[in-house]
Amino acid sequence: LISDLMRPDTPISQEELVPTLLQADEDELEAVLWMFEPEQLQAIRKDAEALLGQRLAEGITLPEASANLQLIIEHMECEC
């Protein structure tokens, strides 16, 4: 995941970034979060919350994705 995100021609589009982060392994996610500026993390958090809220409204629960969102939030709080 790190190498994909660092490539100038990254195969991960802007639209795929949040879903990719939400389905990443915990270790991968923790490693890549340091690559983002606080403003970027805030946008990722907002988009992730919206996406998970939409899925929940559809009756779909995604516990692993929710756990990854929590890691993102914890990382943001740790940065302050």
Side-chain angles (χ1 to χ4, degrees), residues 8 21 28 30 32-33 37 39-40 49-50 52 54 61-62 71:
L21 294 175
E28 285 183 316
E30 289 177 346
V32 300
L33 288 177
E37 296 293 326
E39 298 80 21
Q40 292 172 307
E49 289 173 338
L52 290 178
Q54 179 183 9
T61 57
L62 301 167
L71 282 174

Side-chain angles (χ1 to χ4, degrees), residues 14-61:
Q14 188 66 28
E15 296 80 26
E16 296 172 328
L17 178 60
V18 169
T20 299
L21 294 175
L22 290 178
Q23 69 180 357
D25 292 334
E26 182 179 337
D27 291 339
E28 285 183 316
L29 180 60
E30 289 177 346
V32 300
L33 288 177
W34 296 100
M35 296 173 55
F36 298 102
E37 296 293 326
E39 298 80 21
Q40 292 172 307
L41 286 171
Q42 186 62 38
I44 289 168
R45 177 183 179 173
K46 180 182 170 191
D47 291 348
E49 289 173 338
L51 179 61
L52 290 178
Q54 179 183 9
R55 293 298 180 261
L56 189 58
E58 296 169 352
I60 302 169
T61 57

